[in-house]
Amino acid sequence: MPMSDYMREIRARVGSRVLEIPSVCVLAFDEQERVVLVRHAETGRWTTPGGAVEPYERPADAAVREMWEETGLHVELLGVLGVYGGPEFTTTYRNGDLVSFLMTVFLARRIGGTLRPDGEETLETRAFGRAELRDLPMSAWVPRVLENAYEQREPPFFDPPSWRPTG
């Protein structure tokens, strides 16, 4: 789905300045350990299904909704793989809007639906094996999230803090 009415209203007030946006992404693996990715219409790059958490929406609901909207798949969430943010989790859209994502990454399994792009946000949908991921044009943060998912860290992976008190 394109920009929500909520985000359109915020952008009318702040312009293109950076916005920190709570977001979700969903990693759904099949029996052959292939992960479902989407080719995003805005960038042409492959990325994980996901998007912004709308006001008052639960992150888990946003994850299931985004997966359905972008891929046509209905998923069951199995857990949180990690929470990410930082410089590599930013995007500048063609219209100049700058977004920094605070991203909750969910692991999921398909329970229904048919894999298909929405034709608006996603141009293609496909399941990729781990070896196929190396040569894909992807958003900068995607390889890191996928590598952590394949490593199956327990408890969920979190970036170690880089902030230190002065003195």
Side-chain angles (χ1 to χ4, degrees):
M1 172 162 60
M3 188 184 298
S4 70
D5 291 339
Y6 171 75
M7 191 57 62
R8 197 171 285 105
E9 180 182 321
I10 298 293
R11 282 293 179 196
R13 294 175 189 209
V14 301
S16 293
R17 291 188 324 205
V18 67
L19 290 178
E20 183 78 28
I21 298 185
S23 64
V24 295
C25 83
V26 181
L27 299 179
F29 292 88
D30 65 15
E31 302 78 30
Q32 291 85 40
E33 290 294 308
R34 297 178 306 169
V35 64
V36 173
L37 297 179
V38 298
R39 192 164 66 84
H40 201 274
E42 177 78 21
T43 65
R45 294 175 185 242
W46 290 92
T47 190
T48 61
V53 178
E54 296 296 327
Y56 309 111
E57 185 178 33
R58 291 180 172 91
D61 290 335
V64 173
R65 174 184 55 76
E66 287 285 349
M67 189 70 168
W68 175 259
E69 289 174 358
E70 294 184 3
T71 71
L73 298 182
H74 184 205
V75 294
E76 172 187 25
L77 300 180
L78 303 174
V80 173
L81 288 175
V83 178
Y84 297 81
E88 65 271 36
F89 292 86
T90 62
T91 297
T92 302
Y93 290 99
R94 281 184 276 199
N95 66 2
D97 290 351
L98 182 59
V99 174
S100 175
F101 294 105
L102 177 62
M103 185 180 299
T104 302
V105 180
F106 289 93
L107 178 64
R109 73 176 180 88
R110 177 183 171 185
I111 57 175
T114 303
L115 188 61
R116 53 100 188 116
D118 69 4
E120 201 169 335
E121 272 189 282
T122 59
L123 301 175
E124 294 179 69
T125 56
R126 189 173 145 209
F128 292 93
R130 191 173 187 177
E132 296 174 282
L133 298 172
R134 281 189 281 275
D135 298 323
L136 279 182
M138 290 188 269
S139 299
W141 56 269
V142 175
R144 184 163 152 218
V145 169
L146 289 173
E147 189 59 36
N148 288 330
Y150 277 110
E151 288 176 14
Q152 304 277 325
R153 293 177 187 252
E154 302 239 0
F157 174 81
F158 294 91
D159 277 339
S162 60
W163 182 88
R164 303 269 191 273
T166 56

